[in-house]
């Protein structure tokens, strides 16, 4: 076929290789093929205005991803063969991995299915393909994380039944409810929640601490996974920003809807990430940076610049941003205190920070740590030294929305517990903050459905009414192995053996750790 | 002489995750096993989907077919993400070589105009069928349950996108990379009477609600007829017109079809064997859809390889079904 036309640019060629394969249907109605596109009220006037955030055809995708996988698995193999788990800073570090595998990896799977769903249901083919690529990437992430941690599971406790625990254990309902919330929303809210709020605005607060934490603590398998996932994440972040700009540019009526979603998902994400704050400040033996510093860099500075950029669309910063900024001085300490008390009901160990660690916390948190938190830890330490390690045997009040126990304090008064409640349909509901209470008010029909672990235990739906039965039978937490104090735990004793030190008994000095 | 490298190692306390132990015992597990089984949430979902309040998230009742455990469906290729992309990267490398071989020597532009037109009219529009298959498989991946099942379908979805892109590149080879041939080819898909029954079938598949019915229609019945017809019989027909080089550009599809038929057959066989009710349901779906697929492909066959080729394809498909225990229908195209 002789032709005098100009060759396509790369951009146009990519259009031909994706959205041009689509067509306007004539045998079935478009609304029947894409039934979920309109019910959130988002108005899309022209899908052709969608800019593909990354122009990868499948042949290139297979090629690049295969190269990355080859390198990644070579390192996993070498790590296992060389007993890489013996080179970490300290066995306490593995508790961060327990949090990651039970709390984060199952979310990657939820993201995979969520993106497969929206990757089918947008009528714009360009957006569909971008979502599908993220979908298969998320499957990659859950699988490579399972493989990266498989070796640790062979040598340490608490990782062994991660998916079972994710569905059941009380504190894991925090991440689980977050993703269930996004997946049960419409397609545009799902993307605002996950692509924008989570992947774009907050992801650095999750991944940088975890992966740098791995690097600082000698965990080659996880740090390599992190590096390898980074180029996928860069694509996902680009998608997150494109999605939000696209919605805002398509129609001005979209702005208030999107603004509400940004407010909601910022607050939900902030509450979810409080788990990361305690990992950074308390669980990493070699510390990367404090939660407060991370929040300042990754949210206040980066997020500040982002929301400045979005101002021209009529978007303002998230509603409860100021409260979150105030919380940076407190949340890690409040959360670790809580987990310290409830260690009998988790799949990881907790401990009192060493003197050196407490001094580091004093430096990082000059206005709050010595004043509000050090005395509490010193008190518990004294008790522990007298053989009376403190465990709290009551069940905590959970927030109806974020599902974190109502453990946080008022934004302006760290001595006052923050608690809100309201009556809906004759029933009283409890919240940890104005942020969560607002979210409930907007969609009460959704949040009254929440599966609240404490209520479920009291109602007898968790195979027992006492903590020990629920923990062992329902959670599959091996009592005495996976849970309780770190000092003297099987992980601790095993680590001592690996390092050639004499095993310690419970209550012994922790210097040898 | 052998050298013993001394390592200080403490014996592992377990060989694999508890869920894998419960299924296979405490022994070293394969990467496929650890990456596929029980990774999907199964219980205690918090909210019902706004987009489908009759069902929960990960709700197996979205299909009429029932399995005690959907993990019974496994991938005979043992593909998890890493194994999948590495396999496809190899296939892609061979295909890339073939495309550049054809491009360098102008093998397609040398073909007579009539043959080029046949490619644009009869072969390249299949890119749209691939996009439909891509959407259908993404839909199944989003709705179905169990990691072994979901991952099969997302790989399948991405494969279909890739093959649609390879078909598009055949037109780009013909028009010298201007897109003109692709535009022409698309008008056949939209307006030419011979494509309309198939286009209608694809659009009808896009509104199937039951995800197992959808995978059955797309991956077993449509593909089971379309691939042998277009990539074997039609390929032969092209060769007879001196266009045997096109074979190099569709080799991926032939390799892909014989490979992916293995998991499709394994899936259908497992689900059928689970219960009499499943067997009946599958049989009923096949009886509805197979005649429609044959009818949709008939004009395409008549315009190229002839109706007897389609009858032969239908007979081969019937034999494939029979092996799995279905009552095969007599279908003459």
């Amino acid at each position: 076929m002789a032709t005098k036309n100009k060759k396509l640019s790369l951009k146009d060629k990519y259009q031909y290789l994706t959205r041009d394969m689509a067509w306007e249907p004539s045998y079935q109605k478009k609304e029947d093929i894409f039934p979920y596109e309109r019910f959130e009220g988002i108005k899309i006037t022209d899908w052709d205005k969608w800019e593909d955030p990354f122009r990868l055809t499948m042949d290139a995708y297979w090629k690049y991803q295969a190269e990355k996988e080859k390198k990644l698995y070579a390192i996993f193999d070498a790590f296992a063969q060389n007993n890489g788990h013996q080179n970490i800073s300290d066995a306490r570090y593995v508790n961060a991995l327990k949090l990651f595998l039970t709390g984060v990896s199952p979310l990657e799977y939820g993201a995979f299915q969520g993106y497969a769903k929206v990757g089918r249901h947008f009528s714009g083919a360009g957006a569909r393909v971008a979502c599908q690529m993220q979908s298969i990437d998320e499957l990659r992430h859950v699988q490579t994380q399972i493989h990266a941690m498989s070796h640790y599971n062979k040598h340490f406790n608490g990782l062994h039944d991660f998916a079972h625990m994710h569905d059941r254990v009380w504190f894991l309902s925090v991440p689980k409810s977050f993703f269930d919330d996004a997946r049960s929303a419409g397609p545009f809210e799902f993307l605002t929640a996950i692509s924008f709020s989570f992947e774009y605005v907050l992801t650095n607060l999750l991944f940088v601490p975890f992966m740098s934490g791995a690097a600082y603590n000698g965990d080659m398998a996880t740090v390599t996974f992190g590096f390898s996932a980074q180029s996928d994440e860069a694509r996902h972040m680009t998608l997150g920003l494109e999605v939000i700009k696209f919605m805002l540019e398509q129609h001005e009526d979209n702005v208030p809807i999107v603004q509400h979603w940004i407010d909601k998902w910022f607050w939900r994400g902030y509450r979810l990430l409080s788990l990361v704050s305690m990992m950074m400040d308390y669980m990493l033996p070699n510390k990367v940076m404090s939660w407060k510093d991370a929040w300042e860099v990754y949210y206040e500075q980066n997020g500040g610049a982002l929301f400045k950029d979005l101002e021209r669309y009529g978007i303002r910063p998230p509603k409860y941003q100021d409260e979150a900024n105030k919380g940076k001085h407190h949340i890690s300490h409040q959360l670790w205190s809580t987990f310290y008390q409830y260690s009998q009901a988790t799949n990881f160990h907790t401990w009192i920070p060493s003197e050196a660690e407490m001094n580091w916390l004093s430096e990082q948190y000059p206005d709050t740590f010595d004043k509000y938190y050090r005395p509490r830890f010193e008190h518990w330490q004294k008790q522990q030294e007298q053989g009376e390690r403190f465990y709290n045997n009551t069940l905590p009040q959970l927030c109806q929305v974020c599902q974190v126990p109502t453990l946080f304090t008022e934004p302006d008064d760290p001595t006052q517990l923050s608690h809100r409640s309201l009556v809906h349909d004759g029933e009283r509901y409890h919240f940890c903050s104005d942020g969560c209470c607002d979210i409930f008010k907007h969609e009460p029909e959704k949040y009254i459905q929440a599966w609240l672990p404490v209520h479920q235990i009291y109602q007898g739906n968790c195979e027992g009414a006492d903590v020990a039965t629920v923990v062992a039978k329902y959670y599959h937490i091996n009592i005495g192995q996976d849970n309780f104090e770190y000092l003297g735990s099987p992980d601790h004793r095993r680590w001592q053996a690996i390092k050639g030190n004499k095993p310690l008994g419970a209550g012994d000095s922790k210097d040898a750790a | 002489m052998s050298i013993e490298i001394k390592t200080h190692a403490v014996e592992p306390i377990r060989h694999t995750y508890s869920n894998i132990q419960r299924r296979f015992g405490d022994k070293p597990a394969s990467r496929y096993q650890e990456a596929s089984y029980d990774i999907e949430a199964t219980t205690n979902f918090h909210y019902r989907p706004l987009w489908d309040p009759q069902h929960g998230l990960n709700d197996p009742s979205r299909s009429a077919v029932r399995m005690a455990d959907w993990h019974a469906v496994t991938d005979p290729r043992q593909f998890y993400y890493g194994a999948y992309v590495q396999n496809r990267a190899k296939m892609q490398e061979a295909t890339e070589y073939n495309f550049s071989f054809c491009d360098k020597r102008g093998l397609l532009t040398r073909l007579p105009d009539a043959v080029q037109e046949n490619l644009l009219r009869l072969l390249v529009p299949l890119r749209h069928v691939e996009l439909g298959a891509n959407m259908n498989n993404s839909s199944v991946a989003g709705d179905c349950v169990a990691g072994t099942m979901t991952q099969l379908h997302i790989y399948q979805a991405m494969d279909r996108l890739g093959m649609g892109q390879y078909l598009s590149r055949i037109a780009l080879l013909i028009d010298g990379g201007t897109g003109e041939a692709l535009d022409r080819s698309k008008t056949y898909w939209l307006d030419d009477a011979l494509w309309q029954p198939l286009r209608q079938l694809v659009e009808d598949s896009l509104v199937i609600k039951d995800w197992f019915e959808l995978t059955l229609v797309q991956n077993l019945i449509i593909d089971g007829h379309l691939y042998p017809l277009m990539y074997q019989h039609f390929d032969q027909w092209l060769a007879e017109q001196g266009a045997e080089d096109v074979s190099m550009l569709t080799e991926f599809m032939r390799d892909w079809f014989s490979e992916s038929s293995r998991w499709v057959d394994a899936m259908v066989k497992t689900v059928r064997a689970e219960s009499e009710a499943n067997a009946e349901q599958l049989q009923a779906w096949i009886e509805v859809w197979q005649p429609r697929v044959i009818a949709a492909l008939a004009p395409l066959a008549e315009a190229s390889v002839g109706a007897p080729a389609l009858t032969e394809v239908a007979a081969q498909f019937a034999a494939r079904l029979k092996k799995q225990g279905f009552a095969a229908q007599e279908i003459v195209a």
Side-chain angles (χ1 to χ4, degrees), chain B residues 101-120:
Chain B
F101 186 91
C102 284
D103 189 23
K104 253 190 236 158
R105 288 164 184 76
L107 296 182
L108 294 195
T109 46
R110 274 200 240 152
L111 291 172
D113 284 356
V115 178
Q116 287 187 6
E117 202 57 33
N118 274 338
L119 290 175
L120 297 184

Side-chain angles (χ1 to χ4, degrees), chain A residues 31-246:
Chain A
E31 310 86 87
D32 293 338
I33 295 178
F34 303 104
Y36 308 127
E37 201 168 88
R38 283 163 206 274
F39 80 97
E40 295 163 285
I42 291 290
K43 293 178 181 159
I44 302 299
T45 51
D46 184 5
W47 272 108
D48 283 340
K49 294 266 162 57
W50 171 268
E51 279 292 329
D52 292 305
F54 34 88
R55 297 189 193 102
L56 258 188
T57 49
M58 277 316 293
D59 53 349
Y61 180 85
W62 288 323
K63 188 176 162 184
Y64 295 137
Q65 297 296 108
E67 280 167 16
K68 279 159 53 177
E69 289 292 275
K70 220 165 151 180
K71 285 183 199 151
L72 180 62
Y73 280 94
I75 291 177
F76 288 170
D77 286 338
F79 182 81
Q81 262 167 28
N82 298 328
N83 286 306
H85 67 284
Q86 299 185 0
N87 300 326
I88 55 173
S89 57
D90 183 284
R92 285 184 303 161
Y93 163 74
V94 181
N95 292 289
L97 296 182
K98 298 173 192 177
L99 201 59
F100 195 87
L101 191 63
T102 52
V104 180
S105 303
L107 302 186
E108 310 267 14
Y109 189 90
F112 149 57
Q113 275 205 302
Y115 280 100
K117 182 91 188 161
V118 293
R120 157 64 181 82
H121 279 290
F122 283 132
S123 63
R128 284 205 306 271
V129 169
C131 290
Q132 287 174 9
M133 287 214 172
Q134 177 153 357
S135 171
I136 191 172
D137 283 345
E138 301 289 1
L139 180 65
R140 169 180 197 236
H141 294 174
V142 60
Q143 295 187 329
T144 50
Q145 284 164 24
I146 291 167
H147 289 150
M149 291 174 204
S150 176
H151 182 75
Y152 284 105
N153 172 53
K154 292 170 185 161
H155 292 277
F156 296 100
N157 294 310
L159 295 151
H160 61 92
D161 221 350
F162 61 93
H164 180 93
M165 291 180 190
H166 182 76
D167 268 356
R168 293 165 182 83
V169 175
W170 60 281
F171 71 93
L172 295 172
S173 75
V174 175
K176 185 172 179 182
S177 70
F178 180 94
F179 250 78
D180 283 3
D181 192 349
R183 282 184 63 206
S184 56
F188 289 106
E189 185 178 347
F190 175 81
L191 289 195
T192 308
I194 308 304
S195 288
F196 180 71
S197 298
F198 198 64
E199 300 269 356
Y200 196 88
V201 182
L202 300 169
T203 200
N204 278 333
L205 282 159
L206 177 68
F207 270 85
V208 176
F210 262 108
M211 299 315 155
S212 309
Y216 271 50
N217 288 282
D219 172 9
M220 280 315 294
T222 304
V223 79
T224 312
F225 153 74
F227 272 125
S228 186
Q230 213 166 38
S231 54
D232 303 345
E233 296 295 344
R235 277 202 306 269
H236 304 169
M237 289 176 73
T238 322
L239 175 62
L241 195 57
E242 175 54 31
V243 165
I244 217 82
K245 288 190 170 171
F246 178 71

Side-chain angles (χ1 to χ4, degrees), chain A residues 150-428:
Chain A
S150 176
H151 182 75
Y152 284 105
N153 172 53
K154 292 170 185 161
H155 292 277
F156 296 100
N157 294 310
L159 295 151
H160 61 92
D161 221 350
F162 61 93
H164 180 93
M165 291 180 190
H166 182 76
D167 268 356
R168 293 165 182 83
V169 175
W170 60 281
F171 71 93
L172 295 172
S173 75
V174 175
K176 185 172 179 182
S177 70
F178 180 94
F179 250 78
D180 283 3
D181 192 349
R183 282 184 63 206
S184 56
F188 289 106
E189 185 178 347
F190 175 81
L191 289 195
T192 308
I194 308 304
S195 288
F196 180 71
S197 298
F198 198 64
E199 300 269 356
Y200 196 88
V201 182
L202 300 169
T203 200
N204 278 333
L205 282 159
L206 177 68
F207 270 85
V208 176
F210 262 108
M211 299 315 155
S212 309
Y216 271 50
N217 288 282
D219 172 9
M220 280 315 294
T222 304
V223 79
T224 312
F225 153 74
F227 272 125
S228 186
Q230 213 166 38
S231 54
D232 303 345
E233 296 295 344
R235 277 202 306 269
H236 304 169
M237 289 176 73
T238 322
L239 175 62
L241 195 57
E242 175 54 31
V243 165
I244 217 82
K245 288 190 170 171
F246 178 71
M247 283 192 285
L248 296 172
E249 279 165 8
Q250 283 288 308
H251 204 288
E252 61 191 31
D253 290 356
N254 295 344
V255 175
I257 303 174
V258 171
Q259 179 71 58
H260 170 73
W261 288 339
I262 289 176
D263 292 347
K264 166 180 168 180
W265 288 99
F266 166 79
W267 189 255
R268 287 223 66 180
Y270 167 67
R271 277 294 187 242
L272 171 61
L273 288 174
S274 59
L275 290 168
V276 182
S277 76
M278 75 165 184
M279 181 202 74
M280 291 182 74
D281 286 343
Y282 287 87
M283 297 173 82
L284 296 178
N286 292 340
K287 313 224 187 279
V288 176
M289 68 198 299
S290 68
W291 169 256
K292 178 173 83 53
D293 284 353
W295 184 259
E296 284 167 358
V297 174
Y298 296 115
Y299 184 73
E300 291 179 13
Q301 287 169 33
N302 293 1
L306 169 71
F307 284 107
K308 191 109 205 93
D309 191 38
L310 291 177
E311 237 173 51
R312 66 195 159 104
Y313 297 100
I315 290 292
R316 51 158 177 75
K319 190 172 174 192
Y320 288 103
Q321 171 186 282
D322 293 346
E323 296 201 0
N325 291 347
K326 286 175 191 167
K328 72 188 174 192
H329 301 287
H330 300 280
I331 63 169
S332 68
H333 319 301
Q334 297 178 352
L335 212 66
W336 184 250
S337 303
T338 304
F339 277 95
Y340 178 82
Q341 303 172 47
Y342 285 103
S343 203
Q344 72 278 33
T346 67
N347 62 317
F348 60 90
H349 300 296
T350 53
W351 54 87
I352 296 289
S354 67
E355 186 56 31
E357 286 169 329
M358 287 213 241
N359 292 341
W360 181 83
L361 289 164
S362 302
E363 268 170 43
Q364 299 298 316
Y365 295 94
D367 301 332
T368 56
F369 184 74
D370 285 351
K371 192 167 173 196
Y372 301 109
Y373 305 108
R374 186 191 276 265
R376 188 184 302 178
F377 289 125
E378 286 176 347
H379 171 71
W380 280 334
Q381 182 166 19
K382 226 177 265 163
Q383 276 191 317
Q384 196 170 329
E385 280 162 4
Q386 288 159 7
E388 288 165 20
R389 198 319 188 164
F390 177 63
Y391 293 107
N392 190 333
N393 282 314
T394 63
L395 300 184
Q397 163 92 63
L398 303 181
C399 171
Q400 185 74 26
V401 171
C402 71
Q403 310 220 1
V404 178
T406 48
L407 62 92
F408 298 111
T409 52
E410 291 290 349
D412 293 311
D413 185 357
T415 63
Q416 274 303 313
L417 208 58
S418 171
H419 176 237
R420 305 285 179 277
S421 80
L422 59 78
V423 174
H424 171 82
D425 236 351
E427 190 94 27
R428 182 167 291 279

